[in-house]
Amino acid sequence: MRLLIKKNDIEKIVRKAVKSPVELAGFLIGIKGSEDFIVKYIYNADPSDNTNVSFKIKPNDTYNAIKQAESENLEIIGVYHTHPAPPEPSSKDREGMKAWPGVWLIIDSRTGRYGAWNEKLEKIVVETI
């Protein structure tokens, strides 16, 4: 399995992550193939309720992301978020993965490193396009 994401998109998230005092989060909008998840664009969620160790995506952000994706015949294929730790799923992330299956792209806000997993905790290869 691969997550295909525009180099510019991942670079923007990383740049914001390393500068942000709080965790950032949002949705990966695109197309699910049989083996690939193709990100067409990133939908950034409002970080106003986030802390330096947790994030929340507001219902309004979720609704708007779904409506925008559907209007373009796309779907939410995953979630991205940052944390000040190695880019691996935390216990809280694992719980969230059950509710939001798909790709979870996690960015280490200290180093800019990133990794991706699915809800089965299988590592997904991230390739920039």
Side-chain angles (χ1 to χ4, degrees):
M1 294 177 98
R2 297 182 307 168
L3 175 66
L4 304 175
I5 186 169
K6 294 174 194 152
K7 184 177 181 184
N8 189 44
D9 285 344
I10 192 74
E11 288 174 349
K12 279 182 189 175
I13 296 170
V14 168
R15 275 195 307 273
K16 286 181 181 179
V18 298
K19 292 179 183 177
S20 179
V22 298
E23 287 197 19
L24 302 176
F27 295 106
L28 307 174
I29 309 294
I31 301 166
K32 259 189 248 184
S34 59
E35 288 295 316
D36 294 336
F37 295 87
I38 304 163
V39 179
K40 294 296 186 178
Y41 63 90
I42 304 297
Y43 185 98
N44 298 306
D46 176 4
S48 62
D49 289 339
N50 299 359
T51 72
N52 64 336
V53 294
S54 68
F55 73 92
K56 292 180 184 176
I57 296 179
K58 296 177 181 179
N60 197 46
D61 280 326
T62 302
Y63 175 80
N64 289 336
I66 291 168
K67 293 302 285 178
Q68 186 173 328
E70 287 177 348
S71 74
E72 299 170 4
N73 292 318
L74 299 171
E75 62 184 309
I76 294 175
I77 59 171
V79 173
Y80 84 84
H81 78 283
T82 64
H83 36 137
E88 298 176 3
S90 67
S91 58
K92 236 178 153 177
D93 294 338
R94 289 185 201 111
E95 288 301 311
M97 290 168 150
K98 292 176 187 173
W100 278 95
V103 177
W104 276 57
L105 175 65
I106 302 171
I107 300 96
D108 182 336
S109 60
R110 303 163 309 155
T111 65
R113 289 186 13 232
Y114 51 85
W117 286 262
N118 65 17
E119 68 277 3
K120 297 175 188 170
L121 294 178
E122 298 168 327
K123 189 146 173 108
I124 295 173
V125 174
V126 179
E127 290 185 19
T128 56
I129 51 176

